[in-house]
Amino acid sequence: MDHDDAGAPHTVEAFYERLRRDGHDLPKRLRQCADYVAAHPDKVAVSTVAELAEAADVPPSAFMRFCQELGFSGFSHMQKLFREEYTQKWPNYATRLTKLRDSGNDTPAALLAEFAEAGRNSIENLARTVDATLLDEAVAMLAQARTIHLVGNRRAFPVASYLAYSFEKMGVPAILHSGVGNLKLDHLLARGDAMIAISFAPYTADTVELAEEAERRGVGIVALTDLPTSPLARLDAVRLFVSEIDVGAFRSLSAALTLAMALSVAVGAHRRRPENRK
């Protein structure tokens, strides 16, 4: 990683920007640290370096090297940054979810309670942390597009398919790149179009490849993804970050679908304004 930037980031936003720009050049273990920190900033503020290293599946020494690679003198230096900026922003959901897990109650009702709690807090986090300026920029780009291309596979497919449904109901020209029958629609990408590309860790190669092709063809891109180190975040795109609180090894799509609903309705409303009708 380039150290010409001399010094550690002074804000969490600057920290994310450095990860987005340089994170893909980190060695494997340090990238594991980057991905974990980006996905769990609240944990950085309240955990020890040993706890974070265990969660990221790396030795503590690797986590210390990661802090130094980002320009910090050590872990406490990086933790101070996150404590200052996140203590007041993130709800204390971790304790409640931990109590549910530790109770050992895995009945359907208990699981429903866990997923409902995780979904509620994911949506609350989204409302607090989404960048309103970038959201406006994304809506303006999509509303002006001739055709909106939608791509999101595997776990992200329900989000892409919901967007296709919503745009169809509002009469917004859109194409869902589903890959059904291995049919490729990349030949339809054209300048003047826009794309919503959706992918969350572990990222789907087909989604990333189509987004990269869209970038080469001059198509505007809105990226819905989870981490600044996401391959979609490295594109010339309007980046909207959304993360989901996990329940065990499972993550819902509560926040992602909420963002998709807001995005699609805002685009439809924008296109219907008299001054924007063609």
Side-chain angles (χ1 to χ4, degrees), residues 142 145-151 160-177 185 188 193-196 264 267 271:
L142 295 168
R146 183 188 62 179
T147 301
I148 300 175
H149 299 265
L150 307 166
V151 57
S161 59
Y162 170 79
L163 284 165
Y165 167 80
S166 183
F167 285 139
E168 190 272 333
K169 288 297 182 182
M170 292 186 290
V172 177
I175 297 172
L176 177 62
H177 293 254
L185 301 176
L188 298 176
D193 292 351
M195 170 179 283
I196 302 178
S264 62
V267 169
R271 289 173 65 98

Side-chain angles (χ1 to χ4, degrees), residues 28-219:
K28 180 182 177 182
R29 283 186 170 178
L30 300 195
R31 180 156 182 163
Q32 286 176 237
C33 297
D35 287 347
Y36 186 81
V37 169
H40 305 88
D42 55 317
K43 299 290 180 65
V44 180
V46 298
S47 303
T48 66
V49 67
E51 290 169 339
L52 292 172
E54 181 179 3
D57 195 25
V58 299
S61 59
F63 214 96
M64 294 298 294
R65 288 200 305 276
F66 167 71
C67 297
Q68 293 165 355
E69 191 72 16
L70 268 290
F72 298 99
S73 59
F75 172 68
S76 61
H77 186 192
M78 185 179 79
Q79 186 178 54
K80 181 180 178 183
L81 176 69
F82 280 81
R83 280 181 172 172
E84 288 173 349
E85 296 215 12
Y86 277 91
T87 299
Q88 302 303 318
K89 293 183 181 179
W90 294 82
N92 185 20
Y93 57 81
T95 300
R96 285 174 284 174
L97 291 182
T98 298
K99 286 181 179 178
L100 278 173
R101 293 191 187 99
D102 290 346
S103 70
N105 190 348
D106 58 355
T107 65
L111 290 173
L112 175 61
E114 274 198 273
F115 278 110
E117 180 75 354
R120 182 179 68 82
N121 282 290
S122 294
I123 293 171
E124 286 182 356
N125 288 347
L126 176 71
R128 289 186 177 94
T129 60
V130 69
D131 189 317
T133 300
L134 290 179
L135 187 59
D136 288 343
E137 185 179 341
V139 170
M141 175 195 293
L142 295 168
Q144 294 166 11
R146 183 188 62 179
T147 301
I148 300 175
H149 299 265
L150 307 166
V151 57
N153 297 315
R154 299 177 67 83
R155 188 167 74 90
F157 183 72
V159 184
S161 59
Y162 170 79
L163 284 165
Y165 167 80
S166 183
F167 285 139
E168 190 272 333
K169 288 297 182 182
M170 292 186 290
V172 177
I175 297 172
L176 177 62
H177 293 254
S178 65
V180 172
N182 201 31
L183 297 175
K184 305 294 184 182
L185 301 176
D186 53 322
H187 62 283
L188 298 176
L189 295 168
R191 193 174 295 274
D193 292 351
M195 170 179 283
I196 302 178
I198 312 155
S199 191
F200 311 110
Y203 308 102
T204 307
D206 289 348
T207 299
V208 175
E209 289 170 6
L210 186 60
E212 291 172 341
E213 180 62 23
E215 182 181 45
R216 285 191 289 271
R217 297 194 185 196
V219 172

